[in-house]
Amino acid sequence: MAESKSLRVAYGEALAELGAHDDKVVVLDADLSHATMTSIFAAKYPERFFNFGLAEANMMGAAAGFAHSGLIPFVSTFALFGTGRAYEQIRNSIAYPKANVKFGLSHSGLSVGEDGGSHQSIEDIALMRVLPGMTIFVPCDPLETKKAVFAAAAIDGPVYIRVARPVVEVITSEDAPFIPGVANVLRGGADVCIIATGLMVKDALVAADALAAKGVGASVVNMHTIKPFDADCVLRMARTCKAIVTVEEHSVIGGLGSAVAEVLAGQSGVKFARIGIQDTFGRSGKPADLFKAYGLTAEDIERQCLALLS
Amino acid sequence: MDTNGLLEKARAMRADIIEMLYRCQSGHPGGSLSCVEILMALYYKVANVDPAQPDWDQRDRIVLSKGHGCPALYAILADRGFFPREDLWRLRQIDSHLQGHPDMRKTPGIDCSTGSLGQGVSVAVGMALAAKYKKAHYRVYAILGDGEIQEGMVWEAAMSAAHYKLDNLVFILDHNGLQIDGTNDQVMSLGDIVAKFRAFGFACREVDGHDIEELANAISSPEVGRPLFVLAETVKGKGVSFMEHNAGWHGKPMNAQEYAAAMAELKGTHHG
Ligand SMILES: Cc1ncc(C[n+]2csc(CCOP(=O)(O)OP(=O)(O)O)c2C)c(N)n1
Ligand SMILES: [Mg+2]
């Protein structure tokens, strides 16, 4: 089995590999290359690596300039400072003209841990999702992170890759498909469907096992692409299962939960709940303590599924 | 407090910073150690604050715009009696009021939530403008990192501070020459910082950022009609020899040996 590693390390390694295939790939960072792990690319291709210092807004504008000049910029910083500080540069200089810019933004979500609420982006998916033409990948493990990087490079237009900080186990396989906009159904079960994204996919699988032990059949969907959204998959699940539970390390407003709710609106008969951050900011703490405090554990998922079915 | 007392206090604050950061196995030693004297000059010499009433509306405002240096601020606030010293040992733990970056809604004595670099100085401009509007006499002090001033919004803040003639506002730069990915010059050259602030309309001074008296003198004598910029020359990681001048110690947790070595240095050097 492939080794556990931080998604940001998988991201940095994938960039370096991509760089070997394509000299149009350039990488931009904002004084965080040792945290986003673009340092791996920088060590191999110093002439294609540009540090902009603490100047995210300028970096996003410059990325558009690279793209308008036929290159493929991958831009990295923390998710909060990329999607937040430089939001309007992304909106007007990149998304509006459909510039071919890729964002590999790390330290997303609560799993940032101790740095606290000022650094935990719980809204980045929402911010990117409202931008027309933006593709959004939320990889769940190192293998999927690498696939997301290569898929992003193959798309003509802006792509956001949400890169989490913790070291995580590999839960997908080398030959698992990664087709943008096509969800992967990992597990079948007719009682409840757990639709998860990113780090929460693993907990969804753990919850499904626990439910199976109690005689409850749970499907698990790995929604690695949030945009374009696989509405067909959600509708299929709504027809076969009695209940749907979404799970994300993000606000329940504007992310996966909202996307599923938008599809389910007008569909009758299926019970529905959203697990995620319930319209509140994060705070400092060890990631595991935070996941407990915010109701984002496998046990929380299991409990929510049982509650919906009862 | 006399000079000797302050020197000893600075060492004690550094030891508290190391203790806090070792316990939580995260956080930012380098930039916390470099701003100890800057914050001490404010909290022990210059700023008009009252630990018994942290929200007193006539207090001077202190904005740690380089929010990641907050362990230094927490150690000093605890020492000044804003909250119990025991709280320090729960830095960054769940349900501690001491967050990884300053949180004005959780910690008594914090005037501004910071952590996203560049923003604190703009908030400080707003506070200084509000003081003028209210005809209040309090002053506003903002502490910036040198990497932080690469943010474009710092210069928007500087422009507005001069435009509104905010002589109740002081920017203090913790000039340690380092950020995360290397020296300022390797990452994004800053050029002549003092000349830039002067061109933006500030009165400018340069001081030894580890000399509390010099710092206190410089920041407590404003010039009428314009904001003040004080460049404090500092050493990142100051006081712990293996951390000094080393960008690698920006945000690295210490192991047990490193912790012991740092503590031996901080506790052993004075009065035997
Ligand atoms: C807007 C923003 N971008 C990036 C970061 C991540 N970051 C934290 S500290 C730091 C380097 C700061 O360097 P400097 O201002 O020189 O601080 P010091 O040397 O005093 O620690 C960076 C890039 C941040 N906190 N905020
Ligand atoms: Mg610095």
Side-chain angles (χ1 to χ4, degrees):
Chain A
M1 199 165 108
E3 70 178 305
S4 299
K5 61 176 78 155
S6 168
L7 300 194
R8 59 199 171 118
V9 172
Y11 171 71
E13 291 173 350
L15 277 186
E17 201 177 318
L18 182 69
H21 294 289
D22 190 346
D23 63 6
K24 291 204 292 295
V25 172
V26 297
V27 174
L28 284 60
D29 205 308
D31 194 30
L32 285 168
S33 70
H34 298 284
T36 62
M37 299 316 289
T38 59
S39 54
I40 300 171
F41 181 95
K44 241 176 126 182
Y45 304 106
E47 72 292 350
R48 282 195 263 151
F49 174 77
F50 302 90
N51 203 329
F52 279 79
L54 278 124
E56 296 81 6
N58 184 46
M59 175 170 69
M60 290 303 175
F66 275 109
H68 296 341
S69 311
L71 300 179
I72 307 172
F74 275 75
V75 189
S76 290
T77 175
F78 288 174
L80 195 71
F81 308 134
T83 64
R85 171 70 53 96
Y87 182 72
E88 202 250 339
Q89 281 78 9
I90 294 178
R91 196 264 187 204
N92 269 330
S93 289
I94 295 173
Y96 184 48
K98 300 187 178 61
N100 193 25
V101 175
K102 321 301 170 188
F103 311 95
L105 303 189
S106 73
H107 292 61
S108 50
L110 274 188
S111 55
V112 166
E114 289 87 343
D115 271 352
S118 62
H119 283 55
Q120 293 159 350
S121 69
I122 53 170
E123 68 275 61
D124 51 307
I125 296 175
L127 287 169
M128 293 298 101
R129 202 163 77 86
V130 289
L131 294 174
M134 182 69 68
T135 296
I136 303 174
F137 295 144
V138 186
C140 69
D141 74 357
L143 277 182
E144 215 172 59
T145 303
K146 178 179 169 180
K147 291 175 188 170
V149 168
F150 280 80
I155 289 170
D156 183 20
V159 181
Y160 175 55
I161 308 174
R162 189 183 212 228
V163 182
R165 177 172 185 267
V167 172
V168 294
E169 274 169 49
V170 173
I171 56 169
T172 63
S173 64
E174 204 73 62
D175 53 6
F178 185 87
I179 303 164
V182 181
N184 290 351
V185 180
L186 303 180
R187 198 66 70 83
D191 293 315
V192 59
C193 172
I194 307 167
I195 304 179
T197 195
L199 297 187
M200 302 313 299
V201 173
K202 174 171 173 267
D203 300 275
L205 290 168
V206 173
D209 286 344
L211 288 165
K214 292 185 171 146
V216 176
S219 298
V220 176
V221 174
N222 171 11
M223 196 62 83
H224 53 69
T225 307
I226 304 294
K227 194 174 187 181
F229 194 63
D230 193 348
D232 288 345
C233 173
V234 173
L235 289 171
R236 248 182 356 259
M237 290 299 161
R239 280 193 297 271
T240 51
C241 298
K242 300 182 200 98
I244 290 182
V245 173
T246 60
V247 198
E248 61 198 310
E249 190 209 352
H250 181 277
S251 173
V252 292
I253 301 174
L256 171 68
S258 287
V260 172
E262 288 158 19
V263 173
L264 291 180
Q267 304 291 315
S268 59
V270 64
K271 293 176 174 166
F272 177 57
R274 295 170 301 166
I275 293 178
I277 297 153
Q278 304 291 333
D279 198 20
T280 180
F281 286 109
R283 60 186 194 267
S284 289
K286 294 190 181 65
D289 291 344
L290 291 169
F291 276 56
K292 267 200 200 94
Y294 288 81
L296 291 172
T297 65
E299 296 84 74
D300 293 304
I301 300 171
E302 182 192 344
R303 206 173 305 124
Q304 183 62 262
C305 290
L306 292 173
L308 275 191
L309 292 172
S310 72
Chain B
M1 213 178 291
D2 64 7
T3 308
N4 257 341
L6 286 171
L7 281 177
E8 209 158 325
K9 179 73 77 191
R11 213 172 350 252
M13 295 299 100
R14 289 197 161 87
D16 281 356
I17 291 168
I18 294 298
E19 184 69 36
M20 273 184 258
L21 292 175
Y22 178 62
R23 291 197 191 205
C24 67
Q25 284 296 299
S26 63
H28 303 87
S32 301
L33 294 169
S34 70
C35 65
V36 168
E37 284 83 4
I38 295 172
L39 289 167
M40 284 182 64
L42 286 167
Y43 281 98
Y44 296 92
K45 290 265 179 192
V46 177
N48 191 16
V49 295
D50 180 1
Q53 336 165 51
D55 295 332
W56 173 42
D57 69 351
Q58 295 307 310
R59 73 189 184 283
D60 287 341
R61 277 22 176 212
I62 298 172
V63 175
L64 184 62
S65 197
K66 45 163 282 187
H68 60 280
C70 60
L73 179 57
Y74 297 159
I76 289 167
L77 288 174
D79 186 63
R80 290 273 348 243
F82 282 87
F83 51 80
R85 183 156 175 270
E86 299 78 69
D87 294 2
L88 297 178
W89 317 136
R90 290 202 24 84
L91 170 67
R92 292 176 159 246
Q93 301 298 319
I94 197 158
D95 297 335
S96 165
H97 69 84
L98 297 177
Q99 295 291 294
H101 293 82
D103 187 326
M104 63 186 286
R105 297 289 175 220
K106 291 200 165 90
T107 304
I110 301 285
D111 289 324
C112 182
S113 295
T114 54
S116 178
L117 292 166
Q119 299 194 22
V121 279
S122 293
V123 181
V125 165
M127 290 172 168
L129 271 170
K132 291 272 183 195
Y133 170 71
K134 295 192 294 182
K135 301 199 168 29
H137 295 289
Y138 59 81
R139 307 175 54 74
V140 184
Y141 301 94
I143 299 103
L144 298 91
D146 44 15
E148 180 178 16
I149 67 170
Q150 290 160 351
E151 290 288 352
M153 68 176 302
V154 169
W155 302 96
E156 297 179 23
M159 187 160 54
S160 60
H163 177 80
Y164 286 111
K165 302 185 172 38
L166 297 179
D167 50 12
N168 55 350
L169 177 66
V170 184
F171 285 2
I172 307 166
L173 183 74
D174 180 352
H175 189 233
N176 56 32
L178 297 176
Q179 44 198 95
I180 296 181
D181 281 346
T183 66
N184 300 145
D185 282 343
Q186 285 165 342
V187 177
M188 183 55 61
S189 322
L190 296 173
D192 186 339
I193 300 169
V194 170
K196 285 179 182 175
F197 274 96
R198 191 170 290 125
F200 269 75
F202 280 62
C204 295
R205 294 188 193 132
E206 293 179 64
V207 300
D208 175 347
H210 297 302
D211 183 326
I212 294 175
E213 302 292 342
E214 212 182 308
L215 276 160
N217 287 337
I219 57 189
S220 59
S221 49
E223 286 184 27
V224 178
R226 50 189 188 147
L228 177 61
F229 172 75
V230 175
L231 183 143
E233 206 57 69
T234 57
V235 173
K236 196 154 176 166
K238 173 78 177 174
V240 178
S241 53
F242 61 89
M243 293 184 181
E244 289 189 356
H245 304 288
N246 186 343
W249 280 103
H250 174 84
K252 197 168 78 162
M254 282 165 272
N255 65 29
Q257 288 86 337
E258 289 158 344
Y259 163 71
M263 278 310 206
E265 235 181 283
L266 291 170
K267 296 206 152 158
T269 44
H270 198 63
H271 297 318

